[in-house]
Amino acid sequence: MSSKATENNTPREDALIIGGTTYRSRLLVGTGKYKDLDETRDAIDASGAEIVTVAIRRTNIGQNPGEPNLLDVISPERYTILPNTAGCYTADDAVRTCRLARELLDGHDLVKLEVLGDERTLYPDVVQTLSAAETLVADGFKVMVYTSDDPILAKRLEEIGCVAVMPLAAPIGSGLGIQNRYNVLEIVENAQVPILVDAGVGTASDAAIAMELGCDGVLMNTAIAAARNPVLMASAMKKAIEAGRESFLAGRMPKKRYASASSPLEGTFF
């Protein structure tokens, strides 16, 4: 993605574009695992996120009248609500869930697709994911898709028409950080759509590494919600995403095997 620059080559405009919409924040956050709706609201506010993902099968956004409604604290007027298909294990279930979300959110077409393979690892079932992605794209959805860190599969999902591809860093909720930097880098370098790391980030340095690899953003939930102080961790993640992106745009120095003096040797006095 190109960006305008000031005279000192510092990026002045560097926005994330997903499905034709421009966002300033490259941090996307979830809404699960918080102790209550107040903590949810405060942590998301501290994160600076503009896209907030919601598990349709597990969260009330109006389908259960009389119960606390997440949208009372996460306003669709302020945030882009990203319905996700967490808890789906077949393509049919995922497609049905996305269609329900579209009804609940008055025609909203941006969705996060995830089709899980088993309850122990929560790895994606890539065959079912491909099938669901094809159906949803054909049905007019703008699909952001959770997938494995397989570069070939990531490219295939892009070719199907997904508006963003979201390879895992590590298993969902593990906090292990990026386990295969080579694969993530390969996906990033060959993509024509935004690549966002999804799942497995545990702390601010993990988020910064993802951004330094050239990822367009990071989606996280447990890393913030399961921290001792979720609101403070959300603030830390916001800064890490920004620092990692600036580092990527700046271009790191080459790695060297031996020491190199940081001060010039020419013109020294003895």
Side-chain angles (χ1 to χ4, degrees), residues 24-41:
R24 297 180 303 277
S25 174
R26 293 176 179 271
L27 174 58
L28 291 70
V29 295
T31 56
K33 301 184 178 180
Y34 292 99
K35 67 180 182 180
D36 54 37
L37 288 181
D38 288 340
E39 186 177 74
T40 305
R41 179 197 58 229

PDB file of all heavy atoms in Angstrom, residues 24-41:
ATOM      1  N   ARG A  24      -7.922   4.054  10.287  1.00  0.00           N
ATOM      2  CA  ARG A  24      -6.664   4.575  10.812  1.00  0.00           C
ATOM      3  C   ARG A  24      -5.964   3.547  11.694  1.00  0.00           C
ATOM      4  O   ARG A  24      -4.756   3.410  11.659  1.00  0.00           O
ATOM      5  CB  ARG A  24      -6.910   5.862  11.608  1.00  0.00           C
ATOM      6  CG  ARG A  24      -7.477   7.010  10.795  1.00  0.00           C
ATOM      7  CD  ARG A  24      -7.685   8.254  11.663  1.00  0.00           C
ATOM      8  NE  ARG A  24      -8.555   7.969  12.803  1.00  0.00           N
ATOM      9  CZ  ARG A  24      -9.887   7.965  12.743  1.00  0.00           C
ATOM     10  NH1 ARG A  24     -10.497   8.210  11.594  1.00  0.00           N
ATOM     11  NH2 ARG A  24     -10.611   7.706  13.811  1.00  0.00           N
ATOM     12  N   SER A  25      -6.732   2.843  12.493  1.00  0.00           N
ATOM     13  CA  SER A  25      -6.154   1.865  13.417  1.00  0.00           C
ATOM     14  C   SER A  25      -5.929   0.536  12.708  1.00  0.00           C
ATOM     15  O   SER A  25      -6.773   0.077  11.921  1.00  0.00           O
ATOM     16  CB  SER A  25      -7.081   1.652  14.610  1.00  0.00           C
ATOM     17  OG  SER A  25      -6.592   0.607  15.430  1.00  0.00           O
ATOM     18  N   ARG A  26      -4.821  -0.093  13.007  1.00  0.00           N
ATOM     19  CA  ARG A  26      -4.499  -1.416  12.464  1.00  0.00           C
ATOM     20  C   ARG A  26      -4.664  -2.508  13.527  1.00  0.00           C
ATOM     21  O   ARG A  26      -4.253  -3.644  13.309  1.00  0.00           O
ATOM     22  CB  ARG A  26      -3.074  -1.415  11.898  1.00  0.00           C
ATOM     23  CG  ARG A  26      -2.949  -0.527  10.669  1.00  0.00           C
ATOM     24  CD  ARG A  26      -1.515  -0.426  10.148  1.00  0.00           C
ATOM     25  NE  ARG A  26      -1.488   0.416   8.962  1.00  0.00           N
ATOM     26  CZ  ARG A  26      -1.658  -0.022   7.718  1.00  0.00           C
ATOM     27  NH1 ARG A  26      -1.864  -1.320   7.513  1.00  0.00           N
ATOM     28  NH2 ARG A  26      -1.628   0.801   6.689  1.00  0.00           N
ATOM     29  N   LEU A  27      -5.228  -2.148  14.642  1.00  0.00           N
ATOM     30  CA  LEU A  27      -5.529  -3.109  15.699  1.00  0.00           C
ATOM     31  C   LEU A  27      -7.022  -3.404  15.690  1.00  0.00           C
ATOM     32  O   LEU A  27      -7.850  -2.501  15.807  1.00  0.00           O
ATOM     33  CB  LEU A  27      -5.119  -2.534  17.060  1.00  0.00           C
ATOM     34  CG  LEU A  27      -5.487  -3.358  18.300  1.00  0.00           C
ATOM     35  CD1 LEU A  27      -4.874  -4.757  18.231  1.00  0.00           C
ATOM     36  CD2 LEU A  27      -5.035  -2.637  19.571  1.00  0.00           C
ATOM     37  N   LEU A  28      -7.360  -4.677  15.539  1.00  0.00           N
ATOM     38  CA  LEU A  28      -8.734  -5.136  15.589  1.00  0.00           C
ATOM     39  C   LEU A  28      -8.892  -5.962  16.863  1.00  0.00           C
ATOM     40  O   LEU A  28      -7.992  -6.734  17.213  1.00  0.00           O
ATOM     41  CB  LEU A  28      -9.085  -5.994  14.373  1.00  0.00           C
ATOM     42  CG  LEU A  28      -9.162  -5.311  13.001  1.00  0.00           C
ATOM     43  CD1 LEU A  28      -7.788  -4.886  12.500  1.00  0.00           C
ATOM     44  CD2 LEU A  28      -9.794  -6.270  11.986  1.00  0.00           C
ATOM     45  N   VAL A  29     -10.011  -5.819  17.540  1.00  0.00           N
ATOM     46  CA  VAL A  29     -10.159  -6.501  18.827  1.00  0.00           C
ATOM     47  C   VAL A  29     -11.488  -7.250  18.907  1.00  0.00           C
ATOM     48  O   VAL A  29     -12.451  -6.940  18.212  1.00  0.00           O
ATOM     49  CB  VAL A  29     -10.054  -5.504  20.006  1.00  0.00           C
ATOM     50  CG1 VAL A  29      -8.666  -4.895  20.061  1.00  0.00           C
ATOM     51  CG2 VAL A  29     -11.118  -4.410  19.891  1.00  0.00           C
ATOM     52  N   GLY A  30     -11.489  -8.254  19.797  1.00  0.00           N
ATOM     53  CA  GLY A  30     -12.687  -9.028  20.058  1.00  0.00           C
ATOM     54  C   GLY A  30     -13.387  -8.570  21.321  1.00  0.00           C
ATOM     55  O   GLY A  30     -12.939  -7.644  22.009  1.00  0.00           O
ATOM     56  N   THR A  31     -14.475  -9.256  21.655  1.00  0.00           N
ATOM     57  CA  THR A  31     -15.314  -8.827  22.769  1.00  0.00           C
ATOM     58  C   THR A  31     -15.530  -9.922  23.811  1.00  0.00           C
ATOM     59  O   THR A  31     -16.272  -9.720  24.771  1.00  0.00           O
ATOM     60  CB  THR A  31     -16.688  -8.379  22.246  1.00  0.00           C
ATOM     61  OG1 THR A  31     -17.271  -9.446  21.481  1.00  0.00           O
ATOM     62  CG2 THR A  31     -16.558  -7.151  21.356  1.00  0.00           C
ATOM     63  N   GLY A  32     -14.882 -11.069  23.663  1.00  0.00           N
ATOM     64  CA  GLY A  32     -15.103 -12.173  24.583  1.00  0.00           C
ATOM     65  C   GLY A  32     -14.160 -12.147  25.777  1.00  0.00           C
ATOM     66  O   GLY A  32     -13.134 -11.473  25.781  1.00  0.00           O
ATOM     67  N   LYS A  33     -14.537 -12.873  26.835  1.00  0.00           N
ATOM     68  CA  LYS A  33     -13.687 -13.175  27.983  1.00  0.00           C
ATOM     69  C   LYS A  33     -13.491 -12.031  28.976  1.00  0.00           C
ATOM     70  O   LYS A  33     -12.747 -12.170  29.951  1.00  0.00           O
ATOM     71  CB  LYS A  33     -12.320 -13.704  27.541  1.00  0.00           C
ATOM     72  CG  LYS A  33     -12.412 -14.965  26.688  1.00  0.00           C
ATOM     73  CD  LYS A  33     -11.043 -15.516  26.339  1.00  0.00           C
ATOM     74  CE  LYS A  33     -11.160 -16.796  25.527  1.00  0.00           C
ATOM     75  NZ  LYS A  33      -9.853 -17.359  25.164  1.00  0.00           N
ATOM     76  N   TYR A  34     -14.135 -10.891  28.759  1.00  0.00           N
ATOM     77  CA  TYR A  34     -14.050  -9.815  29.749  1.00  0.00           C
ATOM     78  C   TYR A  34     -14.981 -10.117  30.914  1.00  0.00           C
ATOM     79  O   TYR A  34     -15.936 -10.869  30.785  1.00  0.00           O
ATOM     80  CB  TYR A  34     -14.429  -8.477  29.110  1.00  0.00           C
ATOM     81  CG  TYR A  34     -13.422  -7.987  28.093  1.00  0.00           C
ATOM     82  CD1 TYR A  34     -13.634  -8.173  26.734  1.00  0.00           C
ATOM     83  CD2 TYR A  34     -12.259  -7.353  28.506  1.00  0.00           C
ATOM     84  CE1 TYR A  34     -12.703  -7.729  25.799  1.00  0.00           C
ATOM     85  CE2 TYR A  34     -11.327  -6.903  27.577  1.00  0.00           C
ATOM     86  CZ  TYR A  34     -11.553  -7.100  26.228  1.00  0.00           C
ATOM     87  OH  TYR A  34     -10.632  -6.661  25.314  1.00  0.00           O
ATOM     88  N   LYS A  35     -14.700  -9.497  32.060  1.00  0.00           N
ATOM     89  CA  LYS A  35     -15.499  -9.805  33.252  1.00  0.00           C
ATOM     90  C   LYS A  35     -16.902  -9.229  33.169  1.00  0.00           C
ATOM     91  O   LYS A  35     -17.836  -9.760  33.769  1.00  0.00           O
ATOM     92  CB  LYS A  35     -14.795  -9.328  34.519  1.00  0.00           C
ATOM     93  CG  LYS A  35     -14.677  -7.815  34.655  1.00  0.00           C
ATOM     94  CD  LYS A  35     -13.961  -7.443  35.948  1.00  0.00           C
ATOM     95  CE  LYS A  35     -13.890  -5.920  36.121  1.00  0.00           C
ATOM     96  NZ  LYS A  35     -13.183  -5.553  37.375  1.00  0.00           N
ATOM     97  N   ASP A  36     -17.051  -8.126  32.440  1.00  0.00           N
ATOM     98  CA  ASP A  36     -18.377  -7.528  32.278  1.00  0.00           C
ATOM     99  C   ASP A  36     -18.341  -6.562  31.102  1.00  0.00           C
ATOM    100  O   ASP A  36     -17.292  -6.312  30.499  1.00  0.00           O
ATOM    101  CB  ASP A  36     -18.839  -6.821  33.559  1.00  0.00           C
ATOM    102  CG  ASP A  36     -17.853  -5.787  34.079  1.00  0.00           C
ATOM    103  OD1 ASP A  36     -17.223  -5.095  33.235  1.00  0.00           O
ATOM    104  OD2 ASP A  36     -17.707  -5.657  35.302  1.00  0.00           O
ATOM    105  N   LEU A  37     -19.497  -6.002  30.784  1.00  0.00           N
ATOM    106  CA  LEU A  37     -19.588  -5.112  29.630  1.00  0.00           C
ATOM    107  C   LEU A  37     -18.836  -3.798  29.848  1.00  0.00           C
ATOM    108  O   LEU A  37     -18.339  -3.199  28.893  1.00  0.00           O
ATOM    109  CB  LEU A  37     -21.050  -4.825  29.301  1.00  0.00           C
ATOM    110  CG  LEU A  37     -21.845  -5.986  28.688  1.00  0.00           C
ATOM    111  CD1 LEU A  37     -23.279  -5.550  28.387  1.00  0.00           C
ATOM    112  CD2 LEU A  37     -21.174  -6.521  27.433  1.00  0.00           C
ATOM    113  N   ASP A  38     -18.749  -3.364  31.091  1.00  0.00           N
ATOM    114  CA  ASP A  38     -18.006  -2.127  31.362  1.00  0.00           C
ATOM    115  C   ASP A  38     -16.527  -2.301  31.032  1.00  0.00           C
ATOM    116  O   ASP A  38     -15.914  -1.412  30.426  1.00  0.00           O
ATOM    117  CB  ASP A  38     -18.170  -1.717  32.830  1.00  0.00           C
ATOM    118  CG  ASP A  38     -19.566  -1.182  33.136  1.00  0.00           C
ATOM    119  OD1 ASP A  38     -20.264  -0.777  32.180  1.00  0.00           O
ATOM    120  OD2 ASP A  38     -19.956  -1.194  34.316  1.00  0.00           O
ATOM    121  N   GLU A  39     -15.957  -3.426  31.443  1.00  0.00           N
ATOM    122  CA  GLU A  39     -14.546  -3.683  31.126  1.00  0.00           C
ATOM    123  C   GLU A  39     -14.355  -3.842  29.627  1.00  0.00           C
ATOM    124  O   GLU A  39     -13.350  -3.385  29.066  1.00  0.00           O
ATOM    125  CB  GLU A  39     -14.063  -4.937  31.851  1.00  0.00           C
ATOM    126  CG  GLU A  39     -12.574  -5.190  31.681  1.00  0.00           C
ATOM    127  CD  GLU A  39     -12.100  -6.395  32.469  1.00  0.00           C
ATOM    128  OE1 GLU A  39     -12.406  -7.536  32.034  1.00  0.00           O
ATOM    129  OE2 GLU A  39     -11.431  -6.204  33.503  1.00  0.00           O
ATOM    130  N   THR A  40     -15.314  -4.475  28.979  1.00  0.00           N
ATOM    131  CA  THR A  40     -15.262  -4.602  27.525  1.00  0.00           C
ATOM    132  C   THR A  40     -15.178  -3.238  26.865  1.00  0.00           C
ATOM    133  O   THR A  40     -14.318  -2.979  26.013  1.00  0.00           O
ATOM    134  CB  THR A  40     -16.520  -5.340  27.011  1.00  0.00           C
ATOM    135  OG1 THR A  40     -16.644  -6.595  27.663  1.00  0.00           O
ATOM    136  CG2 THR A  40     -16.442  -5.554  25.504  1.00  0.00           C
ATOM    137  N   ARG A  41     -16.084  -2.353  27.270  1.00  0.00           N
ATOM    138  CA  ARG A  41     -16.123  -1.005  26.699  1.00  0.00           C
ATOM    139  C   ARG A  41     -14.817  -0.257  26.941  1.00  0.00           C
ATOM    140  O   ARG A  41     -14.239   0.337  26.023  1.00  0.00           O
ATOM    141  CB  ARG A  41     -17.281  -0.222  27.324  1.00  0.00           C
ATOM    142  CG  ARG A  41     -17.415   1.221  26.825  1.00  0.00           C
ATOM    143  CD  ARG A  41     -18.292   2.040  27.765  1.00  0.00           C
ATOM    144  NE  ARG A  41     -17.761   2.048  29.127  1.00  0.00           N
ATOM    145  CZ  ARG A  41     -18.494   1.790  30.215  1.00  0.00           C
ATOM    146  NH1 ARG A  41     -19.774   1.524  30.120  1.00  0.00           N
ATOM    147  NH2 ARG A  41     -17.927   1.823  31.406  1.00  0.00           N
TER     148      ARG A  41
END
